[in-house]
Amino acid sequence: MDTSAWIALGEKYIMSTYARQPLVLVRGQGTRVWDVEGREYLDFVGGIAVNSLGHCHPRVVEALKDQAQKLLHCSNLYWNIPQIQLAQLLVEHSALDKVFFCNSGAEAVEAAIKLARKYAKERLGPDKYEIITMRRSFHGRTMGALAATGQEKLHQGFAPLPPGFRYVPFNDLDSLKAALSPHTCAIMLEPVQGEGGVHVAEEDYLQGVAEICRKQGLLLIFDEIQCGLGRTGYLFACEHYGIEPDIMTLAKALGGGVAIGAMLAKEEVARAFRPGDHASTFGGNPLATAAGAAAFKALLEEDLINRARTLGEYLYYRLEELAHKFPSLVVEVRGRGLLLGMEMRIPVAPVVEACREKGLLVNGVQGNVLRLVPPLVVSKQEIDQALCIIKEVLEKISWEEGSCAYGQT
Ligand SMILES: *Cc1c(COP(=O)(O)O)cnc(C)c1O
């Protein structure tokens, strides 16, 4: 069957929740993927920051094979060793003390919301429940995580959402101060907003947020589902700021390509959860946590975090060059490490399509931002290759726009 036959079958049986690219992928290795017709693509989407180790990293594949022969699932009624080992790795390399495992980012956010409320009601008072989140944030699609997400367009059609959230503009400390109420128990944000268009928290802003939390006894929750795990050039994005959150969510890259999420908390906060308060059947199952432990070790031992920083800087400056070369098309370049966005003055969909036709997968967010989240194993040569394609595409578009404007005068 060819691409269009598979897509027709998919459209027949799968709910239409995604505006998918017309591409059927069958194989991946490192920074490359292949479609059902054998065409090769350079993958600068990387499963949206999931495939940080590249596709089918040998250490992850090996751990999965090994664990699949031993124990796939055993319920959290019992202990399993890979879960304990991954939790130990996460705690020893972060500022947090305890881990709750689940299966996705949204679930990690749900767990964070529940823990924050439980802690706040017990320790701060019965009417402390409100969580302040940011406009343009993204925390997931389940009802609680969606309510926490500060994008009205994603709420459309799903009311009533769970109450108890208040949204403020990102990087605006005065608005945050004005939004504090006697009900506030926590502030939740992404140190680098991904889905919202790649916006980086300013240094002064995040220090101010942390200070407010410290002074008012509020919990600070960082959603590092996209920006964590080496992506921005530090293991966790909060390390750029030297700030330790009380609660942190992880998912995406955590399993090296396998579905897993985690919510981490400081000891004192974590204690608010007691047996029966929260659970997940598959959370922390041995298969996913074995992959997670292998992925985490690979991330550290293969020096991928430094790679994300140096190659990220290189890609950033090369994109800035493009921005200067095409001021009529590009507004600015933003981001940190290998989580980069180029805001365009035009809809980004034709850029994404043209890149795909030239063998490069990139992704558009918010309609006008080109998001680049390549695997951290990407080489400088592959970055140059991607830049070359993006440049060709921008050249073509700017020529078309120019000739069109010429034609109209
Ligand atoms: C992707 C993402 C989520 C949601 O993760 P899912 O696994 O899709 O539920 C939450 N927060 C952030 C910052 C994300 O990037």
Side-chain angles (χ1 to χ4, degrees), residues 48 103-107 109 138-142 145 190 192-195 223-227 249 251-252 260 371:
I48 314 184
N103 310 286
S104 70
E107 260 188 86
V109 170
F138 185 81
H139 299 295
R141 302 296 197 139
T142 55
E190 304 148 81
V192 181
Q193 292 185 332
E195 199 67 32
D223 181 345
E224 295 230 8
I225 289 168
Q226 188 160 156
C227 62
T249 55
K252 291 209 162 84
I260 183 171
R371 177 172 52 176

Side-chain angles (χ1 to χ4, degrees), residues 332-346:
E332 63 173 352
V333 179
R334 296 189 291 262
R336 261 199 167 144
L338 286 171
L339 172 48
L340 295 173
M342 188 158 82
E343 186 174 330
M344 315 281 302
R345 297 185 201 280
I346 54 166

Side-chain angles (χ1 to χ4, degrees), residues 202-219:
E202 285 160 16
E203 171 74 29
D204 289 353
Y205 176 70
L206 216 51
Q207 298 299 343
V209 173
E211 191 184 314
I212 289 172
C213 287
R214 208 163 40 236
K215 283 193 176 151
Q216 313 235 359
L218 306 175
L219 293 173

